[in-house]
Amino acid sequence: MGLGASLRIRDRNIWTVYAAIFLVGVAYGVYVSLLALHLDARGFTKPEIGSFAAWFAGGIIAFSLPAGALLRRVSAKTLLATSLLSYAACAAAFPYLTSYATIAAARFLDGASSVFVWVACETVLLRRAERSQKALVTSLYAMAIAVGYVLGPIAAKVVVAASSIERAFVTSSALAVAAAVVVVLCLDKDSPETAASVTAGTPPVSRRAREVVSRIKTSCFATFAYGYFQASVVLFLPLYLVEAKGITKEQTILVPAFFAAGMLLFSNVAGRVGDKVGHLRVMRVLAAIGLVMICSFTLLGSYPPMCVAVFVAGATLASISPVSLALQGIVTAPADLARANGVYNFFYAAGMLLGPPISSLVYGTFGGAPMLLHLAALWAAFVLFCTVFATDDPAARRGAELAY
């Protein structure tokens, strides 16, 4: 198969999901970029502002498994459109909420709506992607979200400058409504039974949840590790760079951009390689390189090499997420995809929820360098896990040239 053929995605439903998730990414980017500023202006303390992130993660955890169960009973189109409208309502109402309880409730509902969106989108993609293109499809999905996240803060800045922060939140809501319209007009409405039908060559249907978890355990570990790492690094790496490396606060603002750039430029490459030589094999190599980059954060002493290390960390560790999702699509029967995606997002949210408090405890007790090294140790454990369970990837059994 030539390169052009391997990159050709024929199902328009996949492109519909890309268009919708891009709009969602921009909406999220607008929302998140203004969240802390708005809450600070409302007089909330920093601990209170931080606790709202826990409410958001709590909504994801609480509804990730129900999302998979619900998607086995209703079409992905119905669930996706409804969830987008629910998010739109949260975003539009958010700037007018004043009490801690109402804002916490909004963030919890925001998390619930978000996980319904993710599970529905990922299930559509994995059901419809050809077996040889799973990681290509999921990497483009991750890139569409990431580009939206890049453009969202820019759009927020423009809207706030021209109008108000309240209008910017309404803009986020309008983008989510636009995504819902795209879904309603362009996404095919498969019935749960039709979408979950099993084709030749796919794994057998699992009737028990623990069988599904066992089959996708490496993907679950991957997404947990990434959620844990991502939530921790966003909070504590800038603080470490200022305190231990003498880097200015202004310079740290650009550090996430280098991480995102690495992911955007390399995740598609990682996906294509994973489709060709084996997803678990690629995940293991990416994690090994990424943990070396994390360790290097403690050794590098100046800003330019630190940015290079952050770029490589983004290119490797952030690229693991779409590849792990693709592996899940390979080893899971179509009838189990909704349940598997719910479990997958549960582990991601669990990582997001546990990472910051544990990392803050390590940072406060031992310092910034040990905090980073404990993140590297998590990825080292993942590499070992991938080695032990290498045969979970069917590519490991294709032949000697793909042996692990």
Side-chain angles (χ1 to χ4, degrees):
M1 180 182 290
L3 179 62
S6 66
L7 295 178
R8 191 177 302 123
I9 300 173
R10 298 176 178 84
D11 193 326
R12 67 175 181 83
N13 289 279
I14 294 176
W15 293 104
T16 297
V17 170
Y18 290 160
I21 206 64
F22 167 74
L23 291 171
V24 172
V26 179
Y28 283 172
V30 172
Y31 189 102
V32 173
S33 65
L34 299 174
L35 189 60
L37 293 175
H38 173 72
L39 293 173
D40 183 67
R42 290 285 188 181
F44 290 98
T45 65
K46 288 180 172 58
E48 286 175 329
I49 293 173
S51 70
F52 289 129
W55 282 104
F56 174 75
I60 298 174
I61 289 176
F63 285 93
S64 54
L65 299 182
L70 183 60
L71 195 53
R72 298 198 302 274
R73 293 168 173 79
V74 302
S75 71
K77 178 175 183 175
T78 299
L79 182 62
L80 183 53
T82 303
S83 302
L84 288 169
L85 293 177
S86 175
Y87 168 80
C90 288
F94 188 81
Y96 306 103
L97 304 177
T98 57
S99 69
Y100 182 92
T102 56
I103 293 175
R107 290 297 286 155
F108 184 85
L109 182 58
D110 183 12
S113 301
S114 296
V115 77
F116 280 129
V117 170
W118 301 338
V119 171
C121 285
E122 291 159 9
T123 301
V124 170
L125 294 180
L126 293 180
R127 281 174 177 167
R128 293 184 173 275
E130 297 178 15
R131 185 179 179 87
S132 62
Q133 292 185 324
K134 297 287 187 183
L136 170 64
V137 167
T138 55
S139 65
L140 291 176
Y141 168 75
M143 291 172 67
I145 299 174
V147 172
Y149 266 112
V150 171
L151 296 180
I154 298 173
K157 185 175 181 179
V158 171
V159 175
V160 171
S163 181
S164 66
I165 195 169
E166 289 81 10
R167 187 64 58 86
F169 280 108
V170 173
T171 300
S172 176
S173 175
L175 288 165
V177 171
V181 171
V182 169
V183 169
V184 170
L185 294 180
C186 302
L187 190 66
D188 289 344
K189 186 177 181 179
D190 289 337
S191 68
E193 294 77 14
T194 301
S197 61
V198 181
T199 58
T202 61
V205 177
S206 297
R207 296 303 179 188
R208 291 181 290 183
R210 66 182 180 184
E211 293 176 357
V212 174
V213 174
S214 177
R215 191 171 290 163
I216 65 172
K217 58 184 176 292
T218 49
S219 292
C220 290
F221 195 156
T223 197
F224 172 85
Y226 184 65
Y228 188 107
F229 167 78
Q230 181 187 47
S232 299
V233 164
V234 166
L235 291 176
F236 298 112
L237 181 59
L239 182 62
Y240 171 73
L241 295 179
V242 171
E243 293 180 351
K245 302 297 182 179
I247 294 174
T248 66
K249 292 181 179 179
E250 290 73 20
Q251 288 176 314
T252 64
I253 294 174
L254 294 176
V255 169
F258 286 98
F259 187 88
M263 187 274 287
L264 284 173
L265 292 175
F266 195 72
S267 63
N268 185 252
V269 176
R272 288 159 55 190
V273 174
D275 283 333
K276 185 175 182 180
V277 306
H279 303 98
L280 194 53
R281 186 182 195 183
V282 168
M283 288 159 58
R284 187 176 64 185
V285 172
L286 292 174
I289 297 172
L291 73 88
V292 171
M293 290 300 102
I294 297 173
C295 293
S296 75
F297 294 166
T298 66
L299 302 175
L300 298 174
S302 61
Y303 184 65
M306 183 67 71
C307 290
V308 173
V310 171
F311 175 87
V312 177
T316 53
L317 299 178
S319 296
I320 289 174
S321 184
V323 178
S324 69
L325 185 61
L327 174 62
Q328 183 163 298
I330 291 290
V331 301
T332 305
D336 291 326
L337 279 174
R339 172 185 285 170
N341 290 335
V343 172
Y344 180 86
N345 281 282
F346 175 89
F347 276 90
Y348 175 66
M352 290 177 61
L353 194 62
L354 293 176
I358 295 176
S359 295
S360 66
L361 179 63
V362 175
Y363 198 128
T365 305
F366 302 105
M371 185 277 298
L372 290 171
L373 292 177
H374 108 279
L375 296 176
L378 176 63
W379 286 113
F382 174 70
V383 172
L384 178 61
F385 196 80
C386 288
T387 303
V388 172
F389 296 105
T391 55
D392 280 10
D393 189 342
R397 301 185 292 275
R398 286 180 193 163
E401 74 279 4
L402 294 179
Y404 286 72

